[in-house]
Amino acid sequence: MSIRIFPKELLEAKREKPTTLESIPPLLFANLKSLYRRRAERLRQLALNNPLGDYLNFAAQLAEAQHHALHDYPLTLDLSEVLEQGATSGKPPLDVSVYPRSEHWHLLLTSLIAELRSQVPEHILAVLDNLEKASVHEWDLMADTLLNGEFSRVGSEKAPFIWAALSLYWTQMASLLPGKARAEYGENRQFCPVCGSIPVASMVHIGTINGLRYLHCNLCESEWHLVRVKCSNCEQTRDLNYWSLDSEQAAVKAESCGDCGTYLKILYQKKDPQVEAVADDLASLVLDARMEEEGFSRSSINPFLFPAE
């Protein structure tokens, strides 16, 4: 099953009695009012007694800066035509490979740099200085490189800042899409139906969507439904295993697939209602090391930790 986003009026015109599958919300957009502040709070909580505490606190500062930039630079944009084009082509409306970025993301990056200047240690301040001295053309080249998956060409020291601005930009646009999602038969369920990016982790929710698993986009922060006990990378179901560092009741596990040799973290809100996709994935890097020892490769990207190669 794939997920496509259509103009609301188009789906309403074709509305029929929903099946059981259609009654499941296929797509969840981020709550911009609380997204970044909640992430920052969770990161600070996880930093306590964690060997990665200093970096988790830095990530919290960056998430807090995203929260402030969101309010200082709101985005107003009519995406009706973009949505219609995506519905016709079957492509994500905000596909990272083709969507033309505006200068708005430059404003967001400038805001992030200014916000962080007075908070970060000297070695990170040097990175901010280098970014501030770079031209917007150089910023765009780095953005293109990251969005193309060539992470090592940008460098792990600059990538989180560039990505933070790009992510905020795409998240703002996602919130403005005047459409509604529908699950259809098709492939590529491992990619975000909004922007075409890969997930950072998956989340098993509580509340009105209790027990349902959603993949969390590492760029636009949207979440899309994928049934449980299915590989999020190759969609096979034959050879899945679940790993944790603590116990079977752990809130954070790794779902590994013997068919494609990859894994993705899966977070359970029922075990811990405070789990947050980006924060808890970042704070559980010891589990990543264990999975690498077992011969599995990560199928996701955390926006605060880009691979060196």
Side-chain angles (χ1 to χ4, degrees):
M1 298 290 291
S2 62
I3 296 174
R4 293 174 63 187
I5 308 172
F6 296 87
K8 292 180 180 178
E9 59 272 15
L10 182 60
L11 282 187
E12 291 173 354
K14 296 182 177 181
R15 177 173 292 174
E16 300 174 357
K17 185 178 180 179
T19 64
T20 301
L21 182 60
E22 290 173 337
S23 65
I24 296 175
L27 182 65
L28 307 174
F29 291 110
N31 182 349
L32 290 183
K33 292 183 179 180
S34 61
L35 173 66
Y36 298 110
R37 182 144 285 175
R38 179 175 178 272
R39 178 170 297 160
E41 292 174 355
R42 180 60 173 173
L43 284 162
R44 293 189 182 98
Q45 178 186 12
L46 293 169
L48 299 173
N49 301 317
N50 190 303
L52 297 172
D54 288 344
Y55 193 72
L56 293 176
N57 281 319
F58 157 72
Q61 292 174 326
L62 185 46
E64 195 74 40
Q66 286 177 293
H67 175 77
H68 293 150
L70 172 67
H71 291 280
D72 292 342
Y73 295 96
L75 180 63
T76 302
L77 195 62
D78 184 358
L79 294 173
S80 300
E81 185 176 344
V82 171
L83 184 61
E84 291 176 3
Q85 291 173 351
T88 301
S89 67
K91 301 289 186 180
L94 302 177
D95 193 333
V96 294
S97 63
V98 296
Y99 188 83
R101 298 187 303 272
S102 74
E103 295 180 355
H104 182 77
W105 90 271
H106 298 157
L107 296 175
L108 297 174
L109 180 55
T110 301
S111 175
L112 295 179
I113 293 173
E115 178 78 19
L116 291 167
R117 275 196 163 281
S118 60
Q119 306 175 42
V120 297
E122 190 171 341
H123 68 281
I124 297 180
L125 185 60
V127 177
L128 297 180
D129 286 338
N130 289 332
L131 276 175
E132 194 169 43
K133 293 174 182 176
S135 65
V136 293
H137 176 67
E138 290 174 307
W139 285 1
D140 280 319
L141 287 178
M142 285 187 280
D144 290 339
T145 301
L146 287 178
L147 294 174
N148 286 332
E150 302 173 83
F151 307 117
S152 61
R153 290 183 54 197
V154 173
S156 58
E157 73 285 353
K158 295 179 181 178
F161 302 103
I162 298 293
W163 194 268
L166 291 172
S167 178
L168 180 51
Y169 175 50
W170 251 271
T171 303
Q172 285 180 312
M173 288 193 293
S175 70
L176 298 173
L177 283 173
K180 189 173 182 179
R182 182 175 70 189
E184 298 183 334
Y185 287 101
E187 300 177 343
N188 299 325
R189 195 62 173 261
Q190 69 269 42
F191 298 108
C192 175
V194 176
C195 68
S197 297
I198 61 175
V200 59
S202 64
M203 180 86 70
V204 178
H205 284 269
I206 56 175
T208 58
I209 50 176
N210 182 52
L212 297 179
R213 191 256 291 264
Y214 286 78
L215 305 184
H216 189 105
C217 181
N218 75 335
L219 181 67
C220 75
E221 307 280 2
S222 303
E223 294 190 346
W224 65 103
H225 178 249
L226 182 67
V227 296
R228 295 168 68 173
V229 197
K230 174 179 282 193
C231 176
S232 58
N233 185 55
C234 71
E235 302 198 47
Q236 295 295 327
T237 60
R238 292 187 298 265
D239 189 12
L240 295 180
N241 286 288
Y242 296 84
W243 310 71
S244 69
L245 296 175
D246 303 319
S247 68
E248 190 174 331
Q249 300 302 312
V252 179
K253 294 183 180 180
E255 180 183 70
S256 68
C257 176
D259 280 283
C260 65
T262 68
Y263 74 92
L264 182 76
K265 302 274 185 65
I266 181 167
L267 284 57
Y268 299 86
Q269 285 189 332
K270 186 176 181 179
K271 308 297 183 184
D272 185 350
Q274 300 303 314
V275 289
E276 200 277 334
V278 172
D280 282 80
D281 175 69
L282 184 64
S284 56
L285 288 183
V286 176
L287 181 55
D288 290 273
R290 169 71 185 280
M291 298 309 295
E292 290 180 7
E293 291 175 359
E294 296 291 338
F296 294 100
S297 60
R298 184 181 170 105
S299 65
S300 62
I301 294 292
N302 189 293
F304 290 107
L305 194 67
F306 289 90
E309 299 181 358

